[in-house]
Amino acid sequence: MQDRLENGLVVRVTGGDVWVRVGPDVVVCSLRGRFRVKKASLQVVAGDKVAVRRDPGGAGVTLEDVFPRASHLARWVDRAGAERAIVANVERIFVVTSLADPPLHPVFVDRVLASAEWGHAPAAVVLNKTDLAQPREIDTWAAIYRACGYDVFPTSADDGHGLDALERFLGDGVYAFVGESGVGKSSVINRLDPKLEQLTQEVGERTGRGRHTTTSSQLFPFRGGFLADTPGMQTFGFPGRDETELAACFPEMVRIDTRCRFEPCTHSHEPGCMVKAAVEAGDIAASRYRSYLAIVEEIRTHVKDQSW
């Protein structure tokens, strides 16, 4: 074996180890040096494209470089006071939510969608557990997100309803599934390919973690591409720190004529705001606007907490 650089794809990061697919092989690299720091620009996550070097003497594999990301999903972690990357170089992020047990939490969904826009990652919404919801409720939420320009997939991981339509959107590249704990995110993935449940179990056995507990993002091969299962989360903080840029992460606000009376306009309290007028006219969903205001307040709090 020659001592040379090889390009690969990160499929999992566990502790100090990075699992990288290089051609048909999956090699384990030690994560050390500058890649162990918590700075967002240096984090290594599933989906990263990297260069590795295999020692010709069999001493191990080292991670030499991480290439720039075309897209990524990150969130703000309050306890760490920093942006935390979740998955990189995704073709599409599917935000999975349930319509019942637990009920849909629009603020969570909207935070993830805004964060996907912020990271230049195309997104879609999966309304899971349709078997527990009324048709009118399904139609209402689907209409809200379709009006924003997002593809919406009503599904039931329990009986398989709607998964054929979702599967047709999957191809080459990385497709990430993100959602709160208990919404059936991993169940949807396992329904798409039952073999993935066995792979998840094998990962748990190797890492000493429970088979149904996703503690870090991991990629599973799927028909020429990869499905990314991400950790179930109860909270999701928008990673951006500039509230004047937030509106650009809400597509329906971008489409509104935003020649507001004041520039820049945060669309929160200023008079003569075209976005507020669109909400009052019903052109922007009230739930989406409430989520937007909640994120604005979070950004202000984070900026204030970090100021000296």
Side-chain angles (χ1 to χ4, degrees):
M1 183 186 302
Q2 297 180 349
D3 181 12
R4 59 185 175 85
L5 288 178
E6 299 174 275
N7 292 341
L9 177 71
V10 176
V11 296
R12 188 166 73 255
V13 179
T14 55
D17 293 329
V18 181
W19 303 62
V20 180
R21 179 174 288 273
V22 182
D25 304 325
V26 176
V27 299
V28 182
C29 311
S30 295
L31 183 61
R32 57 177 179 267
R34 62 193 179 100
F35 298 115
R36 293 189 66 91
V37 303
K38 293 183 178 181
K39 186 177 178 181
S41 61
L42 296 178
Q43 293 170 20
V44 181
V45 297
D48 270 324
K49 297 177 181 180
V50 299
V52 302
R53 188 186 303 277
R54 297 196 235 192
D55 185 273
V61 184
T62 58
L63 192 154
E64 298 291 336
D65 198 10
V66 179
F67 299 121
R69 296 165 178 163
S71 62
H72 74 284
L73 180 69
R75 68 182 180 122
W76 182 264
V77 180
D78 281 328
R79 64 179 180 275
E83 173 194 336
R84 185 70 52 82
I86 298 172
V87 64
N89 297 312
V90 287
E91 295 296 324
R92 181 168 293 209
I93 292 171
F94 292 95
V95 185
V96 183
T97 185
S98 55
L99 292 160
D101 192 30
L104 189 149
H105 296 144
V107 175
F108 182 94
V109 174
D110 296 336
R111 284 192 185 111
V112 180
L113 290 174
S115 299
E117 297 281 351
W118 190 79
H120 306 289
V125 177
V126 178
L127 300 175
N128 194 33
K129 302 188 182 182
T130 55
D131 52 307
L132 302 179
Q134 296 298 318
R136 183 175 180 179
E137 181 184 13
I138 299 170
D139 293 342
T140 296
W141 286 112
I144 287 174
Y145 288 107
R146 284 175 180 148
C148 301
Y150 295 110
D151 290 312
V152 179
F153 301 91
T155 65
S156 171
D158 187 54
D159 59 23
H161 171 75
L163 291 177
D164 288 345
L166 173 58
E167 188 174 350
R168 288 195 290 270
F169 273 71
L170 306 176
D172 296 340
V174 176
Y175 296 83
F177 289 76
V178 181
E180 293 177 275
S181 300
V183 299
K185 170 179 57 66
S186 295
S187 297
V188 168
I189 294 176
N190 292 333
R191 264 282 186 172
L192 291 169
D193 189 346
K195 295 192 298 293
L196 297 183
E197 186 170 13
Q198 177 63 32
L199 290 174
T200 304
Q201 181 179 8
E202 292 172 357
V203 168
E205 291 171 351
R206 287 197 297 266
T207 61
R209 297 187 173 118
R211 62 178 292 187
H212 295 300
T213 302
T214 305
T215 57
S216 62
S217 299
Q218 45 195 310
L219 307 189
F220 298 101
F222 183 81
R223 300 184 182 179
F226 295 89
L227 301 185
D229 193 8
T230 63
M233 292 164 277
Q234 297 300 335
T235 61
F236 198 104
F238 178 74
R241 298 299 93 212
D242 187 346
E243 64 184 74
T244 61
E245 297 178 353
L246 177 61
C249 298
F250 280 71
E252 68 273 38
M253 293 187 183
V254 175
R255 292 195 297 267
I256 295 294
D257 184 355
T258 54
R259 288 174 296 184
C260 302
R261 181 183 303 175
F262 296 98
E263 182 64 34
C265 182
T266 65
H267 315 306
S268 59
H269 64 279
E270 300 90 341
C273 173
M274 297 299 292
V275 167
K276 289 196 297 181
V279 175
E280 293 172 0
D283 296 328
I284 291 178
S287 64
R288 291 277 290 170
Y289 185 61
R290 286 192 294 268
S291 295
Y292 170 81
L293 293 179
I295 298 172
V296 168
E297 287 303 314
E298 289 173 1
I299 291 174
R300 291 172 179 171
T301 299
H302 294 154
V303 171
K304 180 180 179 181
D305 289 345
Q306 289 188 321
S307 63
W308 294 92

